[in-house]
């Protein structure tokens, strides 16, 4: 069931929701949270599609906030709110309200959204693109217990990651961090299988991919070891190599789907490690609404030591020969000596727009 409201108010939208539930025979509200999606017209379809798929696991009221840009000064002077109310089959298992804000009302989106929030239910705000520098201080972000961003969709992902660390507030999270959850689980399980001491590591992946940076920061912070960040053609993360006292541990995923786990003295094992879509990432974030302390620790590690660790997190060598790799594995302690030479190279990386997915 779909209802279009032109030049409306929050009160009329609430009435349309009540009448719609009665019309489809579900007068009770059975949703567990409110998901607010702040996006533009270009990305609204993909974001709403992902939210509808995630609502099968987490029934929610989804509010899509789209701030329309008026072309003429006359249109910009007119404040108007249009809404599209979707219930039943058109909204998956929850309720969907698409809000289009024109003129000055776009500067007061929180006043429109606040009356539409489910009472006594958690609120999650998600910015698929164009997230604010400090989500917790954003008027809409201030209404939420969890604030979800995606640095992978930013113009300058690595600089955006540093800004996120500077403005971090408990409750913030990022889909670039969610993407590496299977990698972190697999690496932790691999280390549980052997008794050893990890001396160094290397994380390989696409250039300007914040997930690669976050995984390198997480390993460096948790294991207290030097971690080198090297580049590859992708897709996404391609491999993690850890040098240990019992031999190398390698998790390699060259095709973005199937990975191979290699542990010294054990047969190689194939591991399903496919790249997940946005719906799966959002569903994972909605499973827990408490602050992610592990994400915060890894993020702040990068902020404090990103320049100091330039030699091991962003080397300018893209492909190494087998001889160079063997030499580094035999003498990992020699890596810190290369820091002064590699540090300027990390700052020369040009800005590059990443894909939104």
């Amino acid at each position: 069931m779909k209802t279009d409201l032109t030049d409306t108010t929050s009160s009329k939208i609430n009435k349309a929701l009540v009448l719609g539930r009665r019309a489809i025979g579900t007068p009770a509200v059975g949703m567990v949270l409110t998901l607010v999606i702040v996006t533009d017209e270009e990305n609204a379809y993909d974001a709403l599609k992902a939210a509808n798929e995630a609502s099968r696991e987490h029934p929610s009221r989804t509010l899509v906030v789209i701030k329309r840009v008026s072309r003429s000064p006359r249109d910009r002077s007119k404040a108007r709110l249009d809404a599209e109310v979707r219930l039943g089959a058109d909204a998956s298992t929850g309720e969907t309200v698409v809000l289009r804000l024109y003129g000055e009302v776009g500067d007061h989106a929180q006043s429109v959204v606040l009356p539409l929030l489910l009472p006594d239910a958690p609120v999650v705000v998600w910015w698929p693109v164009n997230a604010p520098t400090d989500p917790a201080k954003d008027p809409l972000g201030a209404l939420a217990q969890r604030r979800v961003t995606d640095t992978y969709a930013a113009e300058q992902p690595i600089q955006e990651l540093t800004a996120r660390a500077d403005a971090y507030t408990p409750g913030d999270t990022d889909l670039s961090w969610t993407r590496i959850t299977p990698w972190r689980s697999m690496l932790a399980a691999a280390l549980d299988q052997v008794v050893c001491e990890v001396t160094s590591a290397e994380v390989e992946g696409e250039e300007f991919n914040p997930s690669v940076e976050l995984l390198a920061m997480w390993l460096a912070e948790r294991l207290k070891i030097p971690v080198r960040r090297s580049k590859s053609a992708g897709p996404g993360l391609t491999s993690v190599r850890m040098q240990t006292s019992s031999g190398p541990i390698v998790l390699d995923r060259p095709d973005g789907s199937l990975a191979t786990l290699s542990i010294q003295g054990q047969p190689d094992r194939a591991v399903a490690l496919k790249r997940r879509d946005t719906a799966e990432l959002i569903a994972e974030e909605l499973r827990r609404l408490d602050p992610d302390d592990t994400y915060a620790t890894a993020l702040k590690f990068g902020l404090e030591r990103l320049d100091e660790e330039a030699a091991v997190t962003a080397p300018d060598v893209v492909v190494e020969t087998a001889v160079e790799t063997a030499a580094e594995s035999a003498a990992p302690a020699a890596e810190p000596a290369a820091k002064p030479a590699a540090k300027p190279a990390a700052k020369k990386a040009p800005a590059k727009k990443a894909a939104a997915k």
Side-chain angles (χ1 to χ4, degrees):
M1 179 178 179
K2 186 183 298 185
T3 304
D4 291 326
L5 302 173
T6 303
D7 196 7
T8 186
T9 63
S10 298
S11 177
K12 293 179 181 179
I13 296 172
N14 266 321
K15 290 180 180 178
L17 286 169
V18 174
L19 293 176
R21 286 197 300 269
R22 290 177 180 174
I24 63 177
T26 56
V29 179
M31 285 147 292
V32 298
L33 58 88
T34 303
L35 175 62
V36 182
I37 305 174
V38 186
T39 184
D40 53 20
E41 200 71 61
E42 179 183 359
N43 296 278
Y45 174 80
D46 289 336
L48 185 54
K49 181 180 178 181
N52 285 340
E53 292 180 11
S55 70
R56 296 171 185 172
E57 183 177 339
H58 310 279
S60 60
R61 174 176 290 179
T62 303
L63 307 177
V64 184
V65 180
I66 303 174
K67 300 179 181 180
R68 297 295 299 267
V69 178
S70 302
R71 298 182 178 179
S72 66
R74 179 178 299 176
D75 291 337
R76 286 194 292 271
S77 64
K78 296 180 181 179
R80 189 174 93 240
L81 169 64
D82 292 346
E84 186 178 317
V85 180
R86 303 178 186 178
L87 298 168
D90 293 317
S92 190
T93 60
E95 299 175 345
T96 299
V97 181
V98 181
L99 305 169
R100 291 182 171 87
L101 286 63
Y102 298 81
E104 294 182 356
V105 71
D107 299 327
H108 306 281
Q110 72 280 6
S111 300
V112 176
V113 170
L114 186 60
L116 301 176
L117 301 179
L118 291 172
D120 302 324
V123 179
V124 178
V125 178
W126 171 33
W127 291 269
V129 293
N130 303 324
T133 304
D134 191 346
K137 291 185 179 180
D138 183 84
L140 285 172
L143 301 175
Q145 285 76 40
R146 287 297 295 266
R147 296 163 291 277
V148 184
T149 57
D150 191 357
T151 53
Y152 190 56
E155 286 281 351
Q156 298 178 325
I158 307 306
Q159 289 83 343
E160 191 78 8
L161 196 63
T162 305
R164 290 280 175 269
D166 192 28
Y168 175 80
T169 302
D172 292 353
T173 190
D174 196 285
L175 294 186
S176 295
W177 172 257
T178 315
R179 289 184 180 97
I180 65 174
T181 299
W183 285 83
R184 294 189 295 118
S185 301
M186 193 59 59
L187 292 172
L191 289 176
D192 285 341
Q193 297 179 34
V194 293
V195 179
C196 63
E197 179 182 353
V198 183
T199 56
S200 66
E202 179 182 1
V203 180
E204 184 182 82
E206 287 178 327
E207 188 178 9
F208 305 110
N209 189 322
S211 295
V212 183
E213 307 290 339
L214 282 168
L215 185 57
M217 296 172 192
W218 175 73
L219 283 171
E221 193 279 328
R222 300 298 292 181
L223 300 177
K224 313 301 180 187
I225 57 172
V227 179
R228 175 162 52 190
R229 196 270 197 232
S230 58
K231 304 171 187 176
S232 72
L237 272 160
T238 52
S239 70
V240 176
R241 302 179 182 89
M242 295 186 292
Q243 298 297 333
T244 74
S245 57
S246 300
I249 296 177
V250 181
L251 183 59
D252 185 54
R253 187 191 66 177
D255 60 355
S257 178
L258 189 66
T260 301
L261 177 63
S262 302
I263 301 177
Q264 186 75 19
Q266 299 182 18
D268 292 350
R269 280 165 283 185
V271 179
L273 203 63
K274 73 178 184 69
R275 304 189 73 193
R276 298 181 295 169
D277 57 24
T278 306
E280 292 179 83
L281 301 177
I282 287 295
E284 179 182 328
E285 285 300 330
L286 296 181
R287 289 186 195 119
R288 53 174 298 173
L289 300 178
D290 56 320
D292 192 340
D293 296 331
T294 307
Y295 166 69
T297 304
L299 192 64
K300 292 178 180 179
F301 178 92
L303 174 65
E304 297 170 356
R305 306 180 187 179
L306 188 61
D307 291 337
E308 297 177 7
E309 301 291 341
V312 293
T313 57
D316 55 353
V317 179
V318 179
V319 180
E320 298 176 336
T321 64
V323 176
E324 291 171 338
T325 304
E328 289 173 3
S329 300
E335 289 180 355
K339 291 183 181 179
K343 183 175 181 180
K347 296 184 178 180
K348 293 182 181 179
K352 180 178 179 183
K353 180 174 178 61
K357 291 185 180 179

